[in-house]
Amino acid sequence: MNSSQSVAGSPEPAPQPVQRGSQRFAPGEGPLPDPAGSHHERRIRSFQPRRSRVTTSQAEALLKRWPDWGIDIDGKRVLDLDEMFGGLPVVLEIGFGMGEATAQMAAADPGTGILAVDVHTPGQGNLLGLADRNGLTNVRVANGDAIILLREMLDKDVLDGCRVYFPDPWPKARHHKRRLIQPEFLSLLATRLGPGGVLHCATDWEPYAEQMLEVLSAHPDFENTRADGGFAPRPDFRPLTRFEGQGLDKGHVVHDLLFRRK
């Protein structure tokens, strides 16, 4: 018998409360460490979990808001976005870091729902805290693999847009297969975006930007919003993040791509 099993007749151990710096939460009170479990196929992932400690304020935000605003990507149900966001148009954001830019966009556009996906527990807590403190009711935080979310938990044509800002560039050639923006991902995303829905990508890694432009331009389900077929200027609605500012100070060039689903 493994240590997680209890002796017949003995009481189940009480859920352990969250502790400072811990990523452990009582069931239902915070994100699960592996919500999809092992019943989904093995495949190359475009992300890797970052291990860092959850602060007291982040843990408090998770405990307060996760039950209402948090979603574990378990692949076991289809989400009702109309019910979740009160009928608002919904944009999927994949990879939001610590959530500052997401919170700014949600505050600037309360008429759009943002379904924000990441696997970084401190960032999830930080975004929920920002949303709570600023009264942002148009943000929901999803924990886990965006591919499983798209493939198994969203209906067709349900999204009005998708944002992928500064994804991991996986710079080594042997890791390029891990990059998110690939033909297979675009084909899946196209089935969940409604006609005219926009995929907005941004990166400061020029080789990845060039690959994004090549892959998106070649995909039959997407068309460039730029008449010249190139990169787009940063739209006003995408905030200049601290991370981006640091890169610009170092001479990095940031490329935006806006492609519309046909």
Side-chain angles (χ1 to χ4, degrees):
M1 181 174 66
N2 63 45
S3 58
S4 65
Q5 295 173 318
S6 60
V7 178
S10 64
E12 291 289 336
Q16 295 299 309
V18 66
Q19 300 174 4
R20 180 171 179 165
S22 171
Q23 295 191 29
R24 294 177 300 167
F25 297 87
E29 292 186 341
L32 295 172
D34 183 16
S38 60
H39 61 281
H40 290 283
E41 79 285 358
R42 291 181 177 275
R43 58 182 167 78
I44 296 171
R45 299 291 176 88
S46 63
F47 62 89
Q48 53 183 350
R50 289 172 291 156
R51 307 299 179 189
S52 55
R53 296 174 67 82
V54 178
T55 67
T56 299
S57 62
Q58 291 162 0
E60 289 173 349
L62 285 163
L63 287 169
K64 180 179 180 181
R65 284 304 185 185
W66 186 263
D68 296 322
W69 291 354
I71 304 151
D72 276 313
I73 301 173
D74 56 13
K76 297 179 180 178
R77 65 197 189 284
V78 175
L79 301 178
D80 186 339
L81 297 188
D82 280 340
E83 180 180 0
M84 188 177 298
F85 289 97
L88 296 177
V90 178
V91 171
L92 175 68
E93 183 176 359
I94 300 176
F96 56 80
M98 295 304 291
E100 292 96 341
T102 307
Q104 289 181 54
M105 290 186 288
D109 185 12
T112 296
I114 301 178
L115 179 56
V117 183
D118 211 303
V119 294
H120 187 49
T121 312
Q124 294 165 351
N126 200 61
L127 176 53
L128 287 172
L130 289 168
D132 186 43
R133 290 192 296 275
N134 292 286
L136 306 177
T137 60
N138 57 328
V139 176
R140 299 293 181 270
V141 175
N143 167 54
D145 189 339
I147 300 298
I148 294 175
L149 174 69
L150 284 165
R151 191 181 63 203
E152 303 184 29
M153 298 181 68
L154 294 179
D155 285 324
K156 291 183 178 181
D157 299 343
V158 75
L159 297 173
D160 283 72
C162 179
R163 298 165 180 165
V164 183
Y165 297 157
F166 303 98
D168 194 327
W170 295 101
K172 295 181 180 179
R174 68 176 185 273
H175 291 154
H176 285 183
K177 60 181 177 281
R178 294 183 177 273
R179 289 175 172 175
L180 178 64
I181 305 303
Q182 306 277 5
E184 296 80 5
F185 167 76
L186 296 176
S187 294
L188 173 60
L189 177 62
T191 66
R192 301 319 189 229
L193 281 173
V198 173
L199 169 61
H200 181 194
C201 302
T203 180
D204 65 341
W205 192 263
E206 192 155 7
Y208 194 11
E210 295 289 348
Q211 180 191 331
M212 287 181 180
L213 183 59
E214 178 181 353
V215 172
L216 277 160
S217 298
H219 200 281
D221 293 329
F222 289 89
E223 60 183 359
N224 200 332
T225 62
R226 292 280 296 178
D228 61 7
F231 298 107
R234 179 176 66 87
D236 292 339
F237 66 81
R238 183 174 73 76
L240 183 68
T241 65
R242 180 175 54 185
F243 167 82
E244 184 177 356
Q246 291 171 347
L248 292 172
D249 290 342
K250 296 175 183 178
H252 296 185
V253 177
V254 176
H255 292 287
D256 284 74
L257 304 94
L258 288 98
F259 276 72
R260 182 182 296 110
R261 190 212 141 178
K262 295 178 181 178

